[in-house]
Amino acid sequence: MWKRRKTVLAVAVALAAAIVVASASVLTRKPAGEAHAQRVEFNRDIRPIFNGNCIACHGGVKQAGDVSFSYRDQVLGKGKSGRPTVVPGSPRASELMARVTSNDPEMRMPLHRAPLKPEQIALLRQWIQEGAVWENYWAFVPPRPQALPAVRRAAWVRQPLDRFILARLEKEKLSPAPEADKAALLRRVSLDLTGMPPTPDELAAFLADSSANAYEKQVDRLLASKRYGERWAAMWLDLARYGDTKGYEKDRSRPGVWIYRDWVIDALNMNMRYDDFVIKQLAGDLLPNATVDDRIATAFHRQTAANDEGGTDDEEYRLAAVMDRAATTWSVLNGVSFNCVQCHSHPYDPIRNGEYYKFLAIFNTSRDTDIAFSKSLEDDWPLLHLPADKAKRAEWDRMQREGDKIREDIAASSRALVERSAWKMLPIQKAAASETLALESTLAELAEQPASKSRDQQMAQQRLRLAFARKEKLAAGFNIRAGMAESTGTVPIGSVFDFEAAVPMSALTALRFEVPPANAAKARHSPERGFLVDKIQVWAVAPGGAPRKVDLRFMAPDSAENLEGNIARLLRSTGRGTPKGDVMKRLADNSGFMANSRLFYTRWVVAVPSEAQTLTPGTVLKIRFNQTESINAAPAHVARIRIFASNDARWTELARDPETAQKVAKLEQLDHAIKDVPSLPLPVMEEQASHERRQTLAFERGSFLNQVGPALMPDTPALFPGMAPGTPRNRLTTARWFFDPKQPLTARVAVNRYWEQLFGTGIVESLEDFGSAGEMPSHPEMLDWLALHFQNDLHWNMKALVRELVTSATYRQSAKITPSLRDKDPRNRLLAHGPAQRLSAEMVRDQALLASGLLNPKMGGPPVMPLQPDGVWNVEANNPERWTNSKGADRYRRAMYTFIKRTAIYPSFTTFDAADRQLSVPRRLPTNTPLQALVTLNDPVYQQAAEALAARMVHEAPRGPDLLQSQLNYGGRWVLSRDLTPVEIAALRKLHGVAGMTAVASALLNLDAALTR
């Protein structure tokens, strides 16, 4: 489905570009040889020539002959010929003119294609003669204040925007259509604002209201309806690529992600300002005093797909998510095809390849990973655990925040003491790996667990592995260089590593175990595979003596995430019972360290003995690392290890510090409290700490495997206004930057999206591309006026904008069209009549449920699984989850609440062109196919709706002299928001006589009028 949609979008964009070029040619074409009395304008006259004939070989992707027509400096520069491409004021000295007028087929441009038309050559010559004035494309110039046009029929105007529409109609010698009848108007605005038609009672009340502002009162009622948020959330969730699953091969569920969907609905209903609405979603976690709702909002950018398939490269898919976030941000807010710049400079717009990676750096410092560890950290980490009950969320968020602060405090104390302490390297003398020891340890742990079928199966599997390991010699080992041990060979998942190191010190208070990357500079941007050590043990062996176990009291972590993993192991060891014993000791016994899930920089942990160790000369330390967990079903062993020792007494003080012990005890208590109460995991955005931030380099030809050049400072493209000096280059600054008053596109794109939703086609039709390959605006002055009005007068008030649009005379026109008008303006770009749009996939379903009386009005909560054909999910590999049809009233929830599985979208939604939510979708492209009729005639949901509607018509219709006509009209009011016409009644009478009322109800639900708003 996505491939088909991408093809449609690609064709649409290509057609749009062709139309722009063609229309510009029509506007500027003059008979050959005729002088151009008008001064040439670059955007109107020259850019279409370049885009249509030159950019393919001389643009952002390819610069044949070192010539590009995307940037002014390159147009005025020299190509391989050595001659300047364009010399302002001198066509004769410009290589461009020599090439487009050459008679040599190997010299003439466009090469091996049809030559430029004489009028195009004349335009180029005149442009150069007039100074080759270069202009930024209109979309990249901030909106300009526009005077309201004078019109002859001023009485028709209801909103200022009407003047722009009417002025254009009068210029085209057209007149606006009459106002739609009240029933049609209420149906249109009800569906547009709430996604559902009016009830017969609402329709009757409106028809009976003869006041001058009767329509405005209905608009205000609909804007205040809670259904408003559900309807407009569908549009935003397409942009957010919202889904209830992770995507890719397994496409497993994300059970708590619906909390974000409900946040969107609530934000729209409370009429949150558009700038706040966006900023919270891009960077709510970075806001000062961020609330739980602010953090929920950041799930916008955690809707990216995550690959659960074993053995995949976590860094590859993490970067795919980061790139998606960057591209989605630009597409949603600025209508710029930013993903085109990943591999090369933009083909059409002046955005350079390097600028893409500077912007990517802003999003490349989030803490999420594509796959987390199997036990240490949760999958889809970082997560916000929230109760389904909203009333309890603030307390749960408080507990999580308190835990986050404690973890960071402990990690910060550890890092500070590491920096202040003196360390001496302990050269490793021996190193070995053993799979059998790891398996024996795992079996011992399983034996201590309560008996169960699952435990017994795991033990049987481990015994088989142990028997095999004892027969086969482990091929893994270590090379020791300069006192550091480096692993060799193939290390199985689950191994024990033993190291021996001499201690040339008489006193020991701390051991620091370090795992450095092989190339520290490269790892900051191209990391190595991560590792995981889940337990560390130490023995001291004096000369001639037996090994003496060193009692470890504290494992000082290098990061909050390492402490989080250690606490997770501690909780697993104690289960749900009451913890017993010294919490510091219990934590040390369950502590290790890790790199999640890649090694970007040296990771370490400091093992602190309970007491300072006095060592005799010649003492050797034996250290054992247990590694029984995997990363993404792959080995997670340490690739190299070095050991340092300190005799700083402050380490012993830290391990014995009562305040530290209290913090650890509080962490255990908080984590128990959070886990003991049912909650839902919501993936959210979280920034890396300053000391661990990744570097971002440019990717050669878009491949993350080939990163080149220096580390890039986060920044935005030079084409747009710069960020305020002195501000941090992070997501919050960037989110606010998009709402800088000098921004050319944010407000334009927003008002254009609302216009498209209400009128069927945007002022700029290509919502996904405001660049020079997209469509020109049908009413550019009106677009600028609306953008500045939304930004400066309405202060980003979304409901106020919608109210002005739907109360305009333009919107209130009848949708009826004359043959002459259809010939002149077949797509209604001039707005000489009202909009007539096919209902969206959600509206088709919701209307049927409302009309039939089956609709369950419940709002929010977990997604539901209404009836769908059997076997739709059975093709999903390696995923035991299956579609389970909801029971009772949940079968009839609004379409908004249907479970969205990315690889298997609800079939009837797909048929009616719903987005597949794999990627952000700026607009849906409606189709008309026979499959749609098959759905509404045969799908179980619509069969049940027809049966229920038929019963309603029979039992609820008012009694009258012609009972059947009364019943038919009653059905018409529910489905069509009006009484039926005589022709419709006659046809339905015949159908009723042949097939009964259920067939009549089904026919009503399938009328073209029923599927149109």
Side-chain angles (χ1 to χ4, degrees):
M1 181 64 188
W2 173 237
K3 289 182 179 179
R4 180 180 69 81
R5 191 178 304 280
K6 285 201 294 188
T7 302
V8 171
L9 279 171
V11 171
V13 171
L15 286 174
I19 291 168
V20 171
V21 173
S23 61
S25 299
V26 171
L27 287 171
T28 57
R29 192 175 298 150
K30 294 177 180 293
E34 184 178 326
H36 297 271
Q38 211 175 4
R39 186 174 179 85
V40 171
E41 291 184 10
F42 179 79
N43 279 329
R44 182 192 65 197
D45 303 317
I46 304 303
R47 189 184 296 276
I49 298 174
F50 287 164
N51 280 5
N53 301 277
C54 310
I55 288 292
C57 297
H58 306 283
V61 180
K62 181 181 178 184
Q63 296 89 39
D66 293 340
V67 174
S68 171
F69 292 99
S70 293
Y71 305 93
R72 181 180 185 276
D73 60 325
Q74 291 179 316
V75 171
L76 300 183
K78 295 180 180 180
K80 279 187 178 179
S81 68
R83 297 187 63 196
T85 304
V86 167
V87 179
S90 179
R92 182 182 295 277
S94 300
E95 182 72 0
L96 172 64
M97 294 309 303
R99 291 304 184 102
V100 298
T101 58
S102 174
N103 292 320
D104 183 346
E106 297 304 317
M107 292 290 290
R108 181 185 50 75
M109 296 292 161
L111 186 64
H112 301 158
R113 289 175 54 194
L116 296 184
K117 296 173 182 176
E119 56 267 32
Q120 292 175 317
I121 295 174
L123 280 169
L124 290 173
R125 181 178 288 110
Q126 182 180 345
W127 173 63
I128 296 172
Q129 187 67 53
E130 291 175 352
V133 177
W134 187 275
E135 297 173 334
N136 279 334
Y137 189 59
W138 70 268
F140 304 130
V141 177
R144 299 185 178 94
Q146 302 289 332
L148 296 177
V151 292
R152 292 190 292 274
R153 295 182 54 180
W156 181 78
V157 173
R158 291 180 178 273
Q159 293 288 355
L161 68 89
D162 291 325
R163 288 185 170 272
F164 293 97
I165 299 297
L166 185 57
R168 179 71 182 277
L169 291 176
E170 290 177 348
K171 180 181 178 181
E172 300 288 341
K173 296 182 172 52
L174 293 172
S175 297
E179 184 165 303
D181 65 77
K182 292 183 75 172
L185 192 55
L186 184 63
R187 174 178 173 79
R188 180 190 300 167
V189 76
S190 296
L191 284 161
D192 277 342
L193 296 192
T194 68
M196 293 195 292
T199 66
D201 288 344
E202 291 166 346
L203 177 61
F206 180 47
L207 295 177
D209 188 349
S210 58
S211 61
N213 65 339
Y215 174 70
E216 286 78 4
K217 287 189 286 186
Q218 292 296 317
V219 170
D220 291 337
R221 174 183 64 81
L222 294 166
L223 288 171
S225 168
K226 295 296 184 184
R227 302 302 176 193
Y228 170 88
E230 293 175 322
R231 180 268 187 263
W232 288 94
M235 174 194 76
W236 187 259
L237 295 180
D238 277 0
L239 298 168
R241 67 282 199 227
Y242 169 84
D244 293 297
T245 59
K246 300 177 185 178
Y248 291 121
E249 180 238 15
K250 293 184 180 178
D251 201 20
R252 287 176 172 162
S253 298
R254 279 179 167 147
V257 74
W258 59 265
I259 295 172
Y260 165 72
R261 175 247 289 153
D262 285 2
W263 180 91
V264 172
I265 295 171
D266 291 343
L268 293 170
N269 276 332
M270 70 173 62
N271 198 24
M272 185 181 291
R273 284 171 50 127
Y274 181 64
D275 54 349
D276 289 340
F277 181 68
V278 169
I279 289 169
K280 288 175 185 290
Q281 293 182 76
L282 293 185
D285 57 311
L286 301 181
L287 287 169
N289 303 312
T291 66
V292 61
D293 281 342
D294 294 337
R295 297 181 72 193
I296 289 171
T298 67
F300 171 82
H301 266 328
R302 291 301 308 280
Q303 301 301 313
T304 46
N307 197 337
D308 284 325
E309 185 178 0
T312 54
D313 188 336
D314 173 79
E315 181 65 4
E316 176 183 1
Y317 289 97
R318 184 195 70 80
L319 280 167
V322 173
M323 290 176 171
D324 178 77
R325 288 167 194 153
T328 296
T329 299
W330 280 95
S331 174
V332 170
L333 298 183
N334 271 15
V336 171
S337 50
F338 200 62
N339 53 332
C340 289
V341 199
Q342 177 183 338
C343 303
H344 45 68
S345 294
H346 199 286
Y348 297 98
D349 301 323
I351 304 175
R352 299 180 188 272
N353 180 236
E355 293 176 321
Y356 173 89
Y357 291 98
K358 289 180 181 180
F359 187 82
L360 191 75
I362 296 168
F363 286 91
N364 198 27
T365 54
S366 59
R367 297 185 73 190
D368 59 296
T369 60
D370 182 67
I371 290 292
F373 302 112
S374 56
K375 295 178 182 178
S376 297
L377 295 177
E378 297 174 282
D379 201 17
D380 247 358
W381 180 87
L383 295 165
L384 192 60
H385 281 274
L386 294 166
D389 184 353
K390 291 182 182 180
K392 297 180 180 178
R393 288 180 188 169
E395 174 61 15
W396 253 247
D397 182 55
R398 184 200 64 76
M399 289 193 292
Q400 290 189 92
R401 284 174 183 274
E402 185 178 1
D404 291 343
K405 185 177 185 308
I406 292 173
R407 279 187 286 269
E408 189 50 54
D409 285 349
I410 293 174
S413 298
S414 300
R415 289 194 298 270
L417 189 49
V418 162
E419 292 296 322
R420 294 197 301 267
S421 298
W423 297 94
K424 186 174 184 63
M425 185 174 181
L426 306 185
I428 297 174
Q429 299 173 337
K430 294 181 181 180
S434 171
E435 185 182 11
T436 58
L437 288 175
L439 292 170
E440 288 168 356
S441 175
T442 301
L443 276 168
E445 290 179 5
L446 287 170
E448 293 177 2
Q449 295 179 8
S452 68
K453 183 178 180 181
S454 173
R455 187 207 69 162
D456 293 345
Q457 288 176 341
Q458 290 182 60
M459 290 186 71
Q461 184 182 32
Q462 295 299 315
R463 288 191 184 102
L464 286 173
R465 284 189 61 191
L466 179 58
F468 182 80
R470 284 170 173 166
K471 291 180 182 178
E472 297 292 325
K473 184 178 179 181
L474 185 64
F478 283 90
N479 289 330
I480 298 174
R481 294 189 181 92
M484 180 171 70
E486 297 184 81
S487 67
T488 62
T490 302
V491 180
I493 295 177
S495 294
V496 165
F497 304 95
D498 287 327
F499 308 98
E500 289 187 14
V503 190
M505 303 167 64
S506 59
L508 176 79
T509 60
L511 288 169
R512 188 173 92 238
F513 304 109
E514 280 191 357
V515 178
N519 184 327
K522 183 178 179 181
R524 296 295 290 185
H525 56 81
S526 300
E528 301 175 16
R529 181 177 290 278
F531 70 90
L532 191 154
V533 174
D534 47 80
K535 190 170 184 177
I536 298 175
Q537 300 172 82
V538 179
W539 292 265
V541 185
R548 174 178 58 84
K549 182 104 179 257
V550 177
D551 185 36
L552 300 177
R553 178 172 175 78
F554 184 44
M555 290 289 184
D558 67 348
S559 63
E561 71 185 50
N562 260 320
L563 182 53
E564 185 175 348
N566 291 338
I567 291 289
R569 293 189 202 94
L570 172 62
L571 294 183
R572 286 200 303 274
S573 72
T574 58
R576 295 191 177 275
T578 303
K580 295 179 181 179
D582 186 337
V583 67
M584 295 290 285
K585 183 68 173 65
R586 288 189 291 108
L587 178 60
D589 288 344
N590 289 279
S591 287
F593 68 131
M594 59 188 175
N596 176 19
S597 61
R598 286 279 173 159
L599 183 63
F600 283 89
Y601 56 93
T602 298
R603 304 308 297 261
W604 53 261
V605 67
V606 176
V608 185
S610 299
E611 304 290 346
Q613 301 292 300
T614 301
L615 305 174
T616 58
T619 296
V620 172
L621 292 182
K622 289 190 174 184
I623 297 121
R624 173 166 290 178
F625 285 1
N626 283 46
Q627 182 259 308
T628 59
E629 299 179 27
S630 62
I631 300 176
N632 195 14
H637 64 282
V638 290
R640 61 197 63 82
I641 181 74
R642 58 193 179 200
I643 305 170
F644 297 83
S646 174
N647 58 10
D648 193 320
R650 288 174 293 184
W651 284 107
T652 305
E653 293 171 6
L654 178 62
R656 290 290 176 183
D657 177 34
E659 185 178 346
T660 302
Q662 289 173 3
K663 288 179 179 179
V664 172
K666 185 64 175 178
L667 267 182
E668 184 180 34
Q669 175 192 338
L670 287 170
D671 281 19
H672 264 301
I674 289 170
K675 287 178 167 48
D676 282 348
V677 175
S679 62
L680 297 160
L682 174 67
V684 292
M685 294 294 284
E686 191 173 300
E687 200 73 356
Q688 288 182 309
S690 57
H691 68 275
E692 61 184 8
R693 289 200 179 138
R694 306 178 187 93
Q695 291 181 345
T696 301
L697 277 62
F699 297 0
E700 188 174 13
R701 303 184 69 83
S703 171
F704 81 102
L705 296 174
N706 298 310
Q707 301 189 30
V708 296
L712 299 172
M713 291 296 293
D715 207 349
T716 52
L719 177 62
F720 297 89
M723 288 185 176
T727 54
R729 297 300 198 256
N730 59 19
R731 282 182 288 115
L732 180 57
T733 301
T734 303
R736 289 170 171 164
W737 173 81
F738 275 104
F739 291 91
D740 185 300
K742 299 186 292 293
Q743 275 287 355
L745 280 169
T746 307
R748 279 175 172 147
V749 168
V751 298
N752 189 64
R753 182 175 295 122
Y754 276 100
W755 189 277
E756 187 264 352
Q757 288 287 311
L758 296 171
F759 290 94
T761 305
I763 303 168
V764 175
E765 183 173 2
S766 52
L767 272 69
E768 67 283 349
D769 191 357
F770 268 62
S772 59
E775 280 275 10
M776 293 288 287
S778 60
H779 298 77
E781 294 83 6
M782 181 179 69
L783 179 60
D784 276 10
W785 185 88
L786 279 171
L788 292 175
H789 180 54
F790 183 42
Q791 176 178 301
N792 301 329
D793 304 327
L794 300 181
H795 305 292
W796 305 105
N797 185 320
M798 291 186 276
K799 284 190 177 181
L801 174 66
V802 170
R803 190 182 193 281
E804 289 196 14
L805 296 179
V806 300
T807 57
S808 67
T810 305
Y811 179 86
R812 293 167 68 159
Q813 294 177 97
S814 169
K816 293 178 182 177
I817 183 171
T818 63
S820 61
L821 182 58
R822 181 179 287 108
D823 291 340
K824 185 176 180 68
D825 185 19
R827 301 180 61 241
N828 198 28
R829 300 294 280 132
L830 300 175
L831 279 304
H833 62 84
Q837 302 184 65
R838 216 267 319 280
L839 299 191
S840 68
E842 295 88 350
M843 292 176 186
V844 173
R845 173 185 168 84
D846 291 347
Q847 175 179 256
L849 294 178
L850 177 69
S852 65
L854 294 175
L855 181 70
N856 176 2
K858 178 184 175 183
M859 292 186 66
V864 295
M865 296 182 176
L867 291 173
Q868 75 169 359
D870 292 337
V872 171
W873 278 23
N874 290 343
V875 298
E876 299 301 320
N878 300 321
N879 186 349
E881 298 171 348
R882 290 292 178 265
W883 185 279
T884 303
N885 289 330
S886 297
K887 306 295 183 183
D890 275 350
R891 293 176 296 168
Y892 307 118
R893 298 282 304 280
R894 284 198 74 170
M896 157 67 56
Y897 302 111
T898 299
F899 190 95
I900 300 295
K901 185 175 179 66
R902 285 186 161 104
T903 55
I905 297 294
Y906 192 57
S908 67
F909 290 176
T910 300
T911 305
F912 278 97
D913 310 311
D916 64 9
R917 303 284 175 81
Q918 299 275 11
L919 297 171
S920 178
V921 177
R923 60 170 169 155
R924 299 182 185 182
L925 300 178
T927 62
N928 288 293
T929 72
L931 288 176
Q932 292 164 352
L934 291 174
V935 167
T936 50
L937 285 168
N938 298 290
D939 188 285
V941 172
Y942 294 96
Q943 287 181 342
Q944 293 172 8
E947 292 168 0
L949 176 59
R952 191 171 212 181
M953 292 163 67
V954 170
H955 299 296
E956 296 180 12
R959 301 305 181 203
D962 188 335
L963 180 59
L964 180 56
Q965 180 167 324
S966 177
Q967 292 169 338
L968 295 177
N969 274 326
Y970 188 68
R973 292 187 203 107
W974 273 109
V975 178
L976 308 178
S977 310
R978 61 172 172 80
D979 285 340
L980 302 175
T981 66
V983 173
E984 290 168 337
I985 287 177
L988 292 175
R989 279 184 185 276
K990 291 180 181 178
L991 180 60
H992 179 265
V994 173
M997 194 62 82
T998 298
V1000 169
S1002 180
L1004 282 172
L1005 293 172
N1006 279 275
L1007 290 176
D1008 182 67
L1011 301 177
T1012 305
R1013 66 188 198 269

